Amino acid sequence: MCKTRKSLERRGLAELLLGSWQALFHRSRAGDPQAPVIDGREVVRIARSLPVASPFNLEDLMSNVSGMIGVPVELAPYPAQTIADARRLGEALPAALCVATPTRVHVLYRTDTTPSHQRHSILHEVGHLLCRHVTPETTGGSRAMRRGTYDDAQEQAAEMFAYEFERRLGSLRLQHGEPRGDERLTYAIERYGLIFEG
């Protein structure tokens, strides 16, 4: 490959990685800028376009996501009363959940799992937000969030987003001295954490 072509490809990659992630998020898809994103290439582009601070911090990520979707995104564990009600009714809580109100989005997560499983579950919900499976809409001059039931394609897209974003975090974990451990075991625990934890 000639030097000029390599330079152009490198510059194109830099523009993709360092370019405006807001422009990527709002880019029109098939004439509808609010259409849900389920195409794997688009999902990967969105996951790769988000800034990753070192050291990584979920609160910083939520701040970036808030700017992208136009409403505050708050991260918190499930309220104790919600957990108590679910146990009393014999219902399982999802690992994480988006709750959208007219003025903000709450991303709630379980604390009875491993930290890596919590992070993955939170990133899965962020994937739903950034892939516009939960979308802002205007009602009476204010922004509201609309969420329908996710279909299989949207669940796959959110999971793809979470895995792609976590792939980017791998080297950051090593840079900050987190133990590498047995990668096969780590993958199994992160992938199937709830099963192992009963």
Side-chain angles (χ1 to χ4, degrees):
M1 183 181 310
C2 72
K3 187 175 181 180
T4 305
R5 185 171 172 194
K6 281 184 184 176
S7 174
L8 288 173
E9 285 181 0
R10 235 182 276 125
R11 186 171 44 180
L13 180 60
E15 287 172 5
L16 174 65
L17 296 175
L18 302 174
S20 169
W21 41 269
Q22 284 183 323
L24 178 64
F25 177 66
H26 292 291
R27 187 169 65 197
S28 176
R29 286 168 179 82
D32 182 1
Q34 295 303 319
V37 178
I38 57 173
D39 177 72
R41 289 178 303 239
E42 289 296 312
V43 171
V44 168
R45 271 192 218 123
I46 291 169
R48 289 181 181 172
S49 69
L50 280 171
V52 178
S54 177
F56 175 70
N57 178 307
L58 279 169
E59 293 297 331
D60 291 341
L61 177 65
M62 293 303 143
S63 178
N64 287 333
V65 172
S66 296
M68 292 176 72
I69 68 171
V71 296
V73 179
E74 294 183 0
L75 178 63
Y78 281 109
Q81 187 60 50
T82 302
I83 295 169
D85 289 346
R87 286 184 181 147
R88 184 175 48 79
L89 297 170
E91 295 180 4
L93 285 172
L97 176 70
C98 278
V99 178
T101 70
T103 57
R104 67 190 62 245
V105 175
H106 301 273
V107 176
L108 304 174
Y109 63 94
R110 291 175 51 171
T111 57
D112 61 342
T113 66
T114 63
S116 59
H117 186 258
Q118 290 172 24
R119 182 184 58 240
H120 181 83
S121 301
I122 291 164
L123 290 174
H124 178 96
E125 295 305 316
V126 168
H128 280 306
L129 289 170
L130 295 184
C131 292
R132 291 192 300 274
H133 306 155
V134 180
T135 58
E137 61 182 20
T138 303
T139 52
S142 64
R143 291 176 79 85
M145 299 300 288
R146 180 184 72 232
R147 173 185 174 168
T149 303
Y150 301 137
D151 62 24
D152 287 342
Q154 290 173 337
E155 286 297 334
Q156 291 170 6
E159 196 67 3
M160 181 182 293
F161 172 89
Y163 277 109
E164 180 61 27
F165 195 82
E166 283 187 318
R167 189 185 64 73
R168 295 176 61 204
L169 296 178
S171 60
L172 289 176
R173 285 197 301 264
L174 294 177
Q175 288 172 13
H176 292 281
E178 290 186 29
R180 183 179 207 119
D182 181 338
E183 290 183 18
R184 291 173 297 157
L185 180 58
T186 300
Y187 172 79
I189 290 171
E190 289 181 359
R191 179 95 165 103
Y192 303 104
L194 284 177
I195 295 170
F196 291 144
E197 291 162 6

